[in-house]
Amino acid sequence: MFNNFNLNDEEILYLFEKYKPLINKASKISFKFDEDLNQEIKLHLYKTLTRGRK
Amino acid sequence: MERKNYLVEELSKEEKAYFEKAIISARNNYIKKNYNYINSNIEELSENIVDEQCSVLELVIKKCEAEICSAIKFELEFSDPKLYRYIKALSYDEKMMLFSLYKKNKSIRLVAKEQKIDKDTVRRRRDHLLNEIKNILGDENNV
């Protein structure tokens, strides 16, 4: 899965862009877009997808 | 095993599910961490809305009432009938200015800010009014 969680930065940015609507939808609190939450989600995804890096 | 290129290939079903799950867990963690902050923001907002709806008019009315009462009290301060008539004939702004300056001991800067006029204007009006009052008192002493 995700090449053993060893994606490069380019691939991660591509995935962020591709799944932007989903990420933005999850970044809403009380119907308002929360930039901090958006950043937190991206950071979490980045850490997850690169945890296999040496 | 050959490496999958994510720039070209789509995510598999499992990968997509994992990706979505990661987003949801990040969101839940964030909400848990900032629960108090988020809730306090919502409460403050709703309180403000209630305040705006109910009490803005009341606040304005109360403020106006307080100002009018203070102007009337200032008129009554003067027991001398001549002086009383003179003070009664002053405009509302002039009465408020004297009341703020001498009854509430406010600075000229504050009075100017309250009445939205220049500090020099306050000084000029004050001097003019005091001169008038002095003249009235002087006349009485001469008689």
Side-chain angles (χ1 to χ4, degrees):
Chain A
M1 193 185 277
F2 295 112
N3 293 333
N4 290 327
F5 298 97
N6 187 16
L7 298 191
N8 60 37
D9 289 350
E10 205 183 347
E11 284 172 326
I12 291 170
L13 287 176
Y14 176 74
L15 287 179
F16 282 175
E17 200 54 41
K18 196 173 175 187
Y19 289 93
K20 197 175 178 179
L22 185 67
I23 294 170
N24 284 351
K25 195 182 165 190
S27 306
K28 284 182 184 175
I29 293 176
S30 306
F31 308 106
K32 273 201 295 189
F33 181 78
D34 189 321
E35 269 186 45
D36 292 337
L37 175 55
N38 187 266
Q39 196 179 5
E40 192 81 13
I41 289 170
K42 283 180 178 172
L43 189 70
H44 180 77
L45 287 173
Y46 184 84
K47 279 181 183 168
T48 308
L49 299 176
T50 58
R51 71 175 178 223
R53 277 190 195 175
K54 285 172 190 171
Chain B
M1 196 178 153
E2 204 176 304
R3 197 176 191 281
K4 185 176 172 182
N5 186 356
Y6 286 91
L7 296 175
V8 182
E9 293 174 60
E10 289 280 317
L11 292 184
S12 67
K13 251 187 181 179
E14 293 90 44
E15 283 170 337
K16 205 173 171 186
Y18 189 90
F19 196 82
E20 284 172 5
K21 214 175 165 185
I23 290 173
I24 291 166
S25 73
R27 179 186 155 81
N28 290 343
N29 284 340
Y30 177 85
I31 291 172
K32 250 186 222 170
K33 247 195 264 172
N34 300 293
Y35 180 81
N36 287 333
Y37 172 71
I38 292 165
N39 276 345
S40 69
N41 268 3
I42 291 167
E43 276 171 19
E44 277 173 19
L45 198 68
S46 61
E47 275 173 17
N48 285 342
I49 290 167
V50 171
D51 275 355
E52 277 173 17
Q53 282 175 345
C54 301
S55 61
V56 167
L57 192 63
E58 281 176 20
L59 282 174
V60 171
I61 289 169
K62 272 181 191 171
K63 204 179 172 222
C64 288
E65 272 179 4
E67 280 188 0
I68 291 166
C69 281
S70 61
I72 292 169
K73 271 183 193 172
F74 186 70
E75 275 177 16
L76 296 172
E77 288 283 316
F78 298 90
S79 54
D80 180 7
K82 209 174 174 186
L83 205 58
Y84 176 76
R85 260 183 272 127
Y86 175 74
I87 297 295
K88 202 172 169 56
L90 292 179
S91 70
Y92 172 75
D93 283 344
E94 287 169 334
K95 277 181 216 166
M96 278 309 297
M97 196 185 78
L98 286 178
F99 182 79
S100 303
L101 280 174
Y102 298 113
K103 195 71 184 168
K104 288 189 175 176
N105 286 327
K106 283 184 182 173
S107 67
I108 288 177
R109 189 178 58 82
L110 269 177
V111 176
K113 202 176 170 187
E114 272 179 4
Q115 298 199 345
K116 293 173 186 167
I117 52 176
D118 195 48
K119 278 187 278 183
D120 289 334
T121 314
V122 175
R123 279 193 204 101
R124 195 165 33 80
R125 279 186 190 170
R126 180 200 60 187
D127 292 343
H128 172 73
L129 290 170
L130 289 179
N131 276 336
E132 288 287 320
I133 291 169
K134 264 183 203 168
N135 287 341
I136 291 169
L137 291 176
D139 285 348
E140 269 185 9
N141 288 340
N142 289 337
V143 173

